[in-house]
Every structure is written in C-alpha cells, then in structure tokens.
C-alpha cells in the first residue's frame, strides 16, 4: 500500500465526486472520509480517453479491497490524520476515523462501505443503526379542528399581496377576466384535471416512520432510516414537520416525495420530483412544489426554473391568490 498523501484526496474526489459538493466546500469530516476511500476504493471501471486511460473507483470499499492487516490499517489511519492536520492545521480535531473493527463491522453489515457510512461514523461515531438504541420515531401531531388562519396571518397575507406590484397586477388581470366572463355569460377559467394527480398523491401520503438514529443540526432535528436517508426533519426554522420518501434504498439517493405539516398536524406543502421538459424539449428531473390551503387542497403550484408546464398553472395560481385575498379582506376589513 502506497503511503497516503493529502493530494490523494483531490485525485480520488475528481475521479468520483461521491460527495456531490465542490472540493473547496468539503468539511474536515468529508476530507477524512474521502481519505479512507482513496486508499481502499481502487476497483471500478476503466475510463478511456483519446490520450490516456484510468481506473475509475466505484465509490465503495468491498471485502476484496479491504485486504489489510490491523497493524497496516492503524498505520494508515495515523498517516491520514497526520497529513490532513498538516494541510488544514489544528482545526482537524474531534474527527472519528473508523477503527479496524469498525470497518469490519461495516463490511459485515452489507458487504460494502460507502462514503455516507464512513462519513456518518466520522461525524457521529455510529457504525450501524443496530449498534445503538433505536429512537422513537417523530410522529406528526394528531389533527386538531382548528386549522384556520389567524387574524395576524390573514393580515400578513394581505400586506404581502398589496405591497407586491406583481401580485397586484396578477389580481387585476384575474378580476378583469372574471368580469368579462360574467358579462358574456362564459366561464373565465377551466382548471379541470389540473391538480387531480397531485391531489390524489397528497391525500394518500402516509409518512414513513422507520427511525434508526437521530441527529441535531442547530435548532433543527433529523431522523434517519437504516439506509442513512433523512425520513423526518423537525424544521424549527420554518415551524413545520417534514416527512420524506425515497424510491431507492441507496443512501445517496435524493428524496422522491416530501410533505410538510404544521403544528396542528395538517399538510401544508408537498414536494415531488417529476420528469419535466425544458423549452428545447430536453427531459430533466425537477422538484415541483404544491402549496396547500387550510383544507389540504392544492392552492399554488411552483415549477423549477426552465421547466415547460401547462399554461393554466399561472392562471390557477393567480386565481387562488385573488380568491384568498377576497376571503381574507372580507374577514378583516368587512368585520370592521
């Protein structure tokens, strides 16, 4: 085994980029995790270019790659710590590089070791979910009857609309189309079937509660499943609960669905990854956000930038904003 050098981390990173981040943004924990991978993750596929070829690692360490004695591994860990500390200074403290026994336990778990598993140990000292007491899952509160907007919330909504020129212009356009349709005895808008598919998914959404371990990040709390995926976030910043679903058990896979709930247990926003097309007809995966009203019905749809979508969406969003404005204005000003 060649002696580890700090530049080996960069070399490995450029070949694999298993972190999904820019190299300059890597934390000391990320660097330590990549250092371990750079030593042992040597197999993968051969990549050929016009001028040269190289072996691209597959991003995991399997048993055949971890063919090393305890003494050799302990020397490698000491060398990793020494080289990283030399490069980044005394900030490299409190980092847990897995021991020889930890690595063997990780291999025994699913026959391979990924970046996320090493990174979890480096950050939390956790090898496997069953090596610690499993926490009780965070459950969404039972729904209460009171899920209406408070007076303060309605006032805030009215102020947001009335102080936004784009919102005022949109509402004036909706008002004009409604008046024209009424005068002509026609229908101003037809939103038939526009939200049916998403609404069915929203109504049927049931949270996963398979909690394996907890993690705190500032004022926000997270729960992870056995695959190292976030299943629950207590988003104290926004004052909501978030529940995530995944189509793959790959720890690096992004969520396919996420639902936000308020403190009363009601669904407030639904995030879903969908296959979309841009103006050139190219397909891509993007997150579409469905905002919900007090009755958990879709009231606004937001598509990612660059996506082509049903032209009725803009009318749908503006129409609902206009109707909410009428409702809240009547509740606040009509009562005065």
């Amino acid at each position: 085994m060649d002696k580890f050098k700090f530049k080996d981390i960069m070399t490995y990173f450029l070949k694999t980029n298993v972190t999904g981040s820019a190299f300059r943004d890597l934390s000391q924990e990320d660097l330590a995790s990549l250092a371990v991978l750079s030593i042992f993750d040597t197999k993968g596929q051969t990549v050929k270019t016009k001028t040269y070829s190289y072996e691209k690692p597959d991003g995991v360490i399997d048993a055949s790659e971890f063919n090393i004695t305890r003494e050799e591994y302990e020397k490698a860990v000491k060398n990793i710590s020494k080289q990283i500390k030399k490069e980044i200074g005394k900030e490299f403290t409190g980092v847990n590089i897995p021991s020889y026994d930890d690595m063997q336990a990780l291999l025994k778990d699913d026959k391979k070791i990924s970046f996320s598993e090493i990174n979890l140990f480096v950050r939390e000292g956790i090898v496997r979910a069953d090596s610690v007491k499993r926490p009780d899952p965070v459950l969404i509160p039972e729904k209460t009857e009171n899920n209406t907007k408070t007076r303060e919330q309605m006032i805030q909504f009215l102020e947001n609309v009335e102080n936004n020129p784009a919102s005022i212009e949109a509402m004036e356009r909706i008002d004009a189309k409604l008046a024209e349709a009424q005068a002509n005895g026609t229908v101003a808008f037809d939103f038939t079937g526009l939200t049916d598919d998403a609404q069915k998914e929203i109504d049927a959404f049931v949270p996963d509660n398979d909690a394996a371990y907890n993690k705190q990040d500032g004022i926000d709390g997270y729960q992870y499943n056995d695959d190292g995926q976030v299943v629950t976030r207590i988003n104290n910043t926004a004052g909501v609960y978030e529940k995530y679903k995944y189509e793959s058990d790959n720890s690096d896979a992004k969520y396919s669905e996420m639902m936000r709930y308020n403190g009363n247990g009601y669904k407030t926003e639904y995030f879903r990854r969908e296959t979309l097309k841009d103006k050139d007809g190219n397909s891509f995966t993007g997150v579409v956000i469905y905002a919900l009203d007090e009755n958990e019905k879709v009231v606004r749809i937001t598509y990612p930038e660059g996506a082509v979508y049903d032209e009725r969406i803009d009318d749908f969003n503006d129409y609902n904003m206009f109707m909410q404005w009428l409702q809240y204005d009547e509740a606040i000003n009509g009562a005065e």
Side-chain angles (χ1 to χ4, degrees), residues 91-254:
E91 292 86 0
F92 187 66
T93 56
V95 173
N96 309 300
I97 297 178
S99 69
Y100 184 81
D101 290 333
D102 295 328
M103 293 291 284
Q104 293 288 3
L106 287 169
L107 278 174
K108 185 179 179 182
D109 190 32
D110 60 2
K111 311 302 181 188
K112 61 185 180 182
I113 308 173
S114 66
F115 169 81
S116 59
E117 289 176 302
I118 298 175
N119 203 247
L120 171 63
F121 185 90
V122 169
R123 293 173 184 274
E124 303 291 330
I126 298 173
V127 175
R128 291 173 295 171
D130 59 6
S131 67
V132 294
K133 183 179 181 300
R134 299 175 75 88
D136 294 330
V138 172
L139 302 178
I140 300 304
E142 293 289 332
K143 288 183 180 179
T144 63
E145 292 183 5
N146 180 19
N147 192 44
T148 57
K149 289 284 191 296
T150 64
R151 179 182 176 83
E152 290 72 21
Q153 288 172 323
M154 287 189 285
I155 291 174
Q156 185 63 59
F157 178 89
L158 293 174
E159 289 179 350
N160 289 342
V161 171
E162 292 164 1
N163 291 323
N164 185 338
S167 296
I168 294 174
E169 182 181 348
M171 291 208 305
E172 289 175 347
R173 182 177 66 85
I174 295 297
D175 191 29
K177 290 193 72 170
L178 288 171
E180 180 185 1
Q182 184 177 17
N184 297 332
T186 59
V187 176
F189 305 103
D190 182 6
F191 301 131
T192 305
L194 188 63
T195 62
D196 290 358
D197 175 58
Q199 192 66 58
K200 287 178 182 178
E201 296 293 330
I202 291 163
D203 294 341
F205 188 94
V206 177
D208 292 333
N209 291 311
D210 179 23
Y213 57 90
N214 295 335
K215 183 177 177 181
Q216 191 73 22
D217 186 4
I219 65 172
D220 296 339
Y222 294 79
Q223 283 195 329
Y224 290 76
N225 61 19
D226 287 314
D227 298 315
Q229 299 166 326
V230 177
V231 290
T232 303
R233 177 189 181 197
I234 303 176
N235 186 341
N236 287 304
T237 304
V240 296
Y241 297 85
E242 295 174 354
K243 285 288 189 178
Y244 298 77
K245 286 189 175 183
Y246 301 82
E247 294 181 348
S248 168
D249 58 6
N250 183 338
S251 60
D252 296 321
K254 296 179 179 178

Side-chain angles (χ1 to χ4, degrees), residues 10 38 51 60 70-71 84 96 100 107 116 144 148 170 174 176 203 216 218 231 240 260 273 279-280 316-317 319 332:
M10 171 65 88
S38 71
T51 55
V60 297
R70 182 186 299 272
E71 183 181 7
I84 297 181
N96 309 300
Y100 184 81
L107 278 174
S116 59
T144 63
T148 57
I174 295 297
D203 294 341
Q216 191 73 22
V231 290
V240 296
R260 280 181 171 168
R273 294 189 187 278
K279 59 183 178 57
D280 297 320
F316 177 81
N317 292 339
Y319 175 81
I332 299 300

